[in-house]
Amino acid sequence: MLSIKNPIYIENYGYTFNNPHDFSYLEASYGSKDTSKSLFINGSALDEYVGAAHALIKSYQLKPATKEAYKPLYYQSSVIIDDNKVKAYLYNYRDTLGKNIDQDYRLIKLAVNSAKPSTLLTPDPRTGSNTGFSEMLNFWSGYSMSGLFNGNKW
């Protein structure tokens, strides 16, 4: 059996999760903690042990990692995450990977977030230079018209 430092390093051991949701469970359970005393690779399974007696509580199926889909720090892929952007982000920090679990954990979170589409919307450009007065007129004309359409009499 081979102990692993943290689930984010799973592909550095030559394996990846057969079911990516298993990683989500392990990430929620352990976060950036050192798991070398509780997670072990045993053949094609990742075994989770707990307690001083090392009681096996769960096994996760693994499959061999491929060179084409290799992730230096594991994350759960999604259709909204651009894997190439994540890899490019991690490439910029390649000299610091693997030295500190907490730092790597934060780094993969930043890389995944940077690879998601932006939710920032650009404002519409202003059409004129004196928009303050015209905006006020638009507001009051819309306000009065809505009153007429809703049955109010002026």
Side-chain angles (χ1 to χ4, degrees), residues 27-104:
E27 180 184 30
S29 298
Y30 294 103
S32 62
K33 295 177 186 171
D34 185 357
T35 60
S36 60
K37 294 185 184 198
S38 53
L39 295 177
F40 298 90
I41 295 175
N42 186 9
S44 64
L46 179 66
D47 294 336
E48 182 178 11
Y49 292 89
V50 68
H54 280 291
L56 177 65
I57 59 171
K58 190 156 178 143
S59 287
Y60 306 93
Q61 292 302 312
L62 299 175
K63 62 183 179 183
T66 61
K67 189 175 181 179
E68 298 80 33
Y70 173 75
K71 302 173 191 171
L73 298 177
Y74 189 85
Y75 61 94
Q76 188 174 349
S77 293
S78 171
V79 293
I80 64 168
I81 298 172
D82 185 352
D83 290 335
N84 293 326
K85 285 185 179 179
V86 173
K87 288 178 182 179
Y89 192 97
L90 292 177
Y91 183 78
N92 292 331
Y93 295 93
R94 66 190 174 277
D95 296 334
T96 62
L97 293 179
K99 294 180 181 173
N100 183 321
I101 298 172
D102 196 42
Q103 181 182 350
D104 288 346

Side-chain angles (χ1 to χ4, degrees), residues 3-51:
S3 67
I4 67 166
K5 195 173 178 180
N6 190 282
I8 62 173
Y9 301 115
I10 192 71
E11 292 199 8
N12 294 326
Y13 297 95
Y15 293 96
T16 190
F17 291 98
N18 199 24
N19 181 358
H21 296 293
D22 291 342
F23 173 75
S24 298
Y25 171 77
L26 291 168
E27 180 184 30
S29 298
Y30 294 103
S32 62
K33 295 177 186 171
D34 185 357
T35 60
S36 60
K37 294 185 184 198
S38 53
L39 295 177
F40 298 90
I41 295 175
N42 186 9
S44 64
L46 179 66
D47 294 336
E48 182 178 11
Y49 292 89
V50 68

